[in-house]
């Protein structure tokens, strides 16, 4: 007797239940989607065509393919580029990635001769080359963006070499400084970022093309030729295994981006604090602020807050790629397909953050009167009083520190600045104080006295601004 089976027990039904949802077709549907990188790596189409043209020319020059086939391939690649520039890159997930997508379209355009393009190369060295080219372009863009931000900082620092503000430690008023000095501190941070970026660009400048899958190739290729044509200043990579499995260049870019983003975030945080009503040091440009949906008086520093927030995503991307790479044996593993999304995301975020902070610094309005008032009311010249007692009254610093503390307490009780205390009140604290002390107690005298190299004195700020303008080629 034939056993009856419920439809739910049929193999097809069981398969559908097992895979379910949009993966009802089973393992092949999952594999197709998890394996496809075309949705994100299509942004490298220009680099892929550029590297393919260099490879084709080398194959033609070395006689590995005929001159006629070389010219046909080059003409076909130009047509593919024109199509992609005009219409965008199509996403056929069966073709997996940008490399197969370009090759498939090239075959449609020029026929079987397109198959000769892949002679003496693998997708392993192809993707390593394309990705290096893309990251190199991103580094160049970041270099220009950092320079623009530095120029904005230097211009505003030059305007405010004499503008006095409180300098802080622990967000407590410490000593008076100039706004120009404060802005030049950020110039120095971004100068170090630019230096890190230059080093990363140097490390990137070796060409993996010709390493093939992992062991090199038996064809008589000219790797120096392709490296030169693609702009890799340090020539071809020296080890084929390392070349196809190396993603240090991507990590270098993410490390640089993380450090740069940290500096951007610190600057953004200060602008947010300074723009708040209790401080009132700066008015943000309207173009980089928003209003409140319920409170009409609000002007929110949203751009600065987003720069601060984006920093977490940038640091997270660096962590993600480090974790991906940490356990991979040589040479290529499919895990490395996940190297691109974090880099692509960071490039976009960093570009936005640098542009936002450049606009913010260039177009904000500093309330220098409010800054000066805050410096005067915060007893920022207390250290100057202690220093004067040491130098002019020959008092040991620890004793001078105690005397100064008493003077600050008295000024707080009177609700006045230190230089507004009558001489008699100061002498009631310590009789060794005389009228000369007032030359040291004003905020102007304080900043002028800090004339050591790298100090906040206006003359020093102007010197550093001049040097920075020379470094940036602004003059």
């Amino acid at each position: 007797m034939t056993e009856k089976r419920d439809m739910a027990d049929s193999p097809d039904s069981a398969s559908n239940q097992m895979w379910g949802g949009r993966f009802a077709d089973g393992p092949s549907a999952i594999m197709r989607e998890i394996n496809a990188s075309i949705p994100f790596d299509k942004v490298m189409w220009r680099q892929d065509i550029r590297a393919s043209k260099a490879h084709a020319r080398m194959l033609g020059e070395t006689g590995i393919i005929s001159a006629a086939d070389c010219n046909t391939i080059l003409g076909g690649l130009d047509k593919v580029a024109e199509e992609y520039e005009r219409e965008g890159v199509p996403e056929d997930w069966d073709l997996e990635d940008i490399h197969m997508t370009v090759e498939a379209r090239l075959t449609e355009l020029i026929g079987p001769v397109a198959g000769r393009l892949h002679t003496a190369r693998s997708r392993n060295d192809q993707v390593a080359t394309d990705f290096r080219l893309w990251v190199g372009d991103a580094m160049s863009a970041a270099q220009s963006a950092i320079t623009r931000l530095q120029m904005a900082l230097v211009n505003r620092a030059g305007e405010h070499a004499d503008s006095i503000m409180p300098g802080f430690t622990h967000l407590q008023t410490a000593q008076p400084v100039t706004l120009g000095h404060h802005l030049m501190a950020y110039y120095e941070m971004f100068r170090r970022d630019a230096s890190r970026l230059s080093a990363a660009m140097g490390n990137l400048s070796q060409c993996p093309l010709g390493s093939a899958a992992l062991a090199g190739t038996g064809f008589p290729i000219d790797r120096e030729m392709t490296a030169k044509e693609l702009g890799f200043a340090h020539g071809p990579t020296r080890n084929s295994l390392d070349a196809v499995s190396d993603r240090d260049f991507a990590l270098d870019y993410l490390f640089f981006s993380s450090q740069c983003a940290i500096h951007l975030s610190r600057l953004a945080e200060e602008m947010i604090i300074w723009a708040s009503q209790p401080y009132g040091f700066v008015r943000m440009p309207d173009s980089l602020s928003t209003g409140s949906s319920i409170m009409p008086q609000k002007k929110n520093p949203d751009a600065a807050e987003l720069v601060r927030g984006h920093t977490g995503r940038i640091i997270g991307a660096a962590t993600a790629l480090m974790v991906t790479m940490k356990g991979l044996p040589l040479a290529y593993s499919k895990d490395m397909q996940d190297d691109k999304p974090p880099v692509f995301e960071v490039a976009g975020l960093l570009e936005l953050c640098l542009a936002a902070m450049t606009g913010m610094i260039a177009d904000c309005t500093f309330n220098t009167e409010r800054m000066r008032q805050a410096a005067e009311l915060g007893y920022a010249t207390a250290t100057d009083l202690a220093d004067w007692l040491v130098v002019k009254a020959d008092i040991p610093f620890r004793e001078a520190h105690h005397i100064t503390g008493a003077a600050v307490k008295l000024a707080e009780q009177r609700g006045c600045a230190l230089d507004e205390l009558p001489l008699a009140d100061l002498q009631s604290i310590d009789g060794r104080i005389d009228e000369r002390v007032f030359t040291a107690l004003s905020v102007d005298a304080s900043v002028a006295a800090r004339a050591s190299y790298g100090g906040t004195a206006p003359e020093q700020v102007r010197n550093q601004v001049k040097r920075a303008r020379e470094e940036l080629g602004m003059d």
Side-chain angles (χ1 to χ4, degrees):
M1 183 176 179
T2 304
E3 181 180 355
K4 285 188 175 182
R5 293 195 302 171
D6 189 272
M7 285 298 293
D9 295 327
S10 68
D12 287 344
S13 178
S15 177
N16 289 344
Q17 288 178 12
M18 181 178 293
W19 304 113
R22 60 195 179 94
F23 299 118
D25 290 340
S28 60
I30 297 174
M31 187 60 197
R32 177 176 179 270
E33 183 156 343
I34 199 172
N35 197 45
S37 59
I38 187 63
F40 55 83
D41 70 16
K42 65 183 180 181
V43 301
M44 297 195 303
W45 70 264
R46 291 180 180 85
Q47 289 77 20
D48 190 76
I49 289 177
R50 181 182 166 197
S52 291
K53 289 175 74 172
H55 186 66
R57 288 192 188 97
M58 182 276 295
L59 293 175
E61 286 290 328
T62 55
I64 295 172
I65 64 174
S66 69
D69 285 347
C70 175
N71 290 332
T72 300
I73 290 169
L74 293 174
L77 288 170
D78 285 337
K79 290 179 181 177
V80 175
E82 290 169 7
E83 288 183 6
Y84 290 175
E85 196 72 65
R86 184 176 62 249
E87 303 167 12
V89 180
E91 289 188 22
D92 183 343
W93 287 22
D94 289 328
L95 294 173
E96 298 181 14
D97 57 30
I98 186 59
H99 321 293
M100 295 301 292
T101 298
V102 170
E103 186 172 330
R105 182 56 182 147
L106 182 65
T107 301
E108 290 172 353
L109 291 171
I110 67 174
V113 71
R116 297 189 183 280
L117 175 59
H118 209 54
T119 306
R121 77 174 182 184
S122 161
R123 265 197 295 180
N124 290 357
D125 64 336
Q126 186 180 4
V127 67
T129 303
D130 292 356
F131 195 24
R132 278 189 185 233
L133 289 171
W134 195 95
V135 171
D137 291 341
M139 288 180 174
S140 295
Q143 193 174 50
S144 298
I146 288 176
T147 298
R148 289 191 290 272
L149 175 54
Q150 287 178 295
M151 287 179 173
L153 287 164
V154 168
N155 282 332
R156 300 311 302 270
E159 293 174 24
H160 294 286
D162 297 281
S163 301
I164 293 174
M165 65 172 289
F168 300 97
T169 62
H170 309 278
L171 269 183
Q172 305 294 311
T173 299
Q175 293 177 317
V177 297
T178 56
L179 175 56
H181 190 57
H182 196 109
L183 294 173
M184 287 302 292
Y186 281 98
Y187 169 81
E188 291 297 323
M189 292 185 200
F190 294 116
R191 187 173 67 86
R192 292 193 296 274
D193 290 332
S195 176
R196 272 184 282 271
L197 183 56
S198 293
M201 293 174 80
N203 290 335
L204 171 140
S205 196
Q206 285 185 295
C207 183
L209 193 58
S211 299
L214 74 163
T217 178
F219 288 96
I221 60 174
D222 185 345
R223 295 192 63 205
E224 293 285 352
M225 176 183 171
T226 48
K228 184 177 181 180
E229 178 168 342
L230 292 173
F232 287 99
H234 296 162
T237 51
R238 299 192 298 180
N239 184 287
S240 59
L241 273 170
D242 177 59
V244 298
S245 55
D246 168 41
R247 293 297 183 270
D248 288 1
F249 62 91
L251 286 167
D252 283 346
Y253 175 67
L254 293 178
F255 297 154
F256 144 75
S257 298
S258 298
Q259 185 65 71
C260 184
I262 289 170
H263 292 154
L264 289 167
S265 184
R266 295 182 71 179
L267 178 55
E269 171 74 358
E270 294 214 292
M271 295 295 281
I272 292 164
I273 292 171
W274 290 1
S276 65
Q277 279 74 22
Y279 279 78
F281 288 1
V282 68
R283 180 176 177 81
M284 295 289 207
D286 290 345
S287 58
L288 292 169
S289 305
T290 65
S292 166
S293 64
I294 190 172
M295 294 168 283
Q297 84 281 8
K298 293 284 294 299
K299 183 176 182 180
N300 299 327
D302 283 11
E305 291 172 350
L306 287 167
V307 168
R308 188 175 59 185
H310 288 350
T311 297
R313 293 169 64 186
I314 290 172
I315 294 169
T319 302
L321 186 53
M322 283 191 287
V323 173
T324 296
M325 297 301 297
K326 73 174 182 62
L328 298 185
L330 297 176
Y332 182 83
S333 297
K334 197 67 171 181
D335 313 47
M336 291 165 69
Q337 183 167 288
D338 283 339
D339 58 358
K340 295 167 198 67
V343 172
F344 295 160
E345 180 186 22
V346 162
L349 291 174
L350 186 64
E351 180 182 10
L352 271 174
C353 292
L354 284 165
M357 293 312 299
T358 299
M360 205 174 300
I361 294 300
D363 297 335
C364 71
T365 302
F366 292 109
N367 187 342
T368 53
E369 183 179 350
R370 177 75 185 96
M371 288 181 171
R372 183 184 181 92
Q373 289 172 352
E376 290 174 338
L377 293 175
Y379 309 108
T381 57
T383 305
D384 298 274
L385 174 57
D387 290 346
W388 185 90
L389 291 167
V390 170
V391 174
K392 300 297 183 181
D394 195 27
I395 298 173
F397 182 81
R398 286 301 173 198
E399 185 181 352
H401 187 282
H402 177 77
I403 295 168
T404 300
V408 169
K409 184 177 180 180
L410 180 60
E412 284 179 335
Q413 292 170 349
R414 298 284 176 83
C416 66
L418 279 173
D419 63 346
E420 294 175 341
L421 283 173
L423 178 60
D425 285 348
L426 290 171
Q427 290 179 330
S428 70
I429 296 170
D430 193 285
R432 289 168 289 185
I433 299 175
D434 60 45
E435 66 278 355
R436 294 175 300 166
V437 73
F438 293 106
T439 63
L441 290 184
S442 72
V443 291
D444 297 280
S446 177
V447 296
R450 296 322 194 259
S452 58
Y453 181 82
T456 192
E459 64 177 282
Q460 281 297 321
V461 174
R462 279 188 277 271
N463 288 339
Q464 293 302 328
V465 166
K466 181 175 183 291
R467 179 174 180 175
R469 292 182 69 89
E470 291 171 354
E471 291 172 349
L472 295 171
M474 295 173 69
D475 296 326

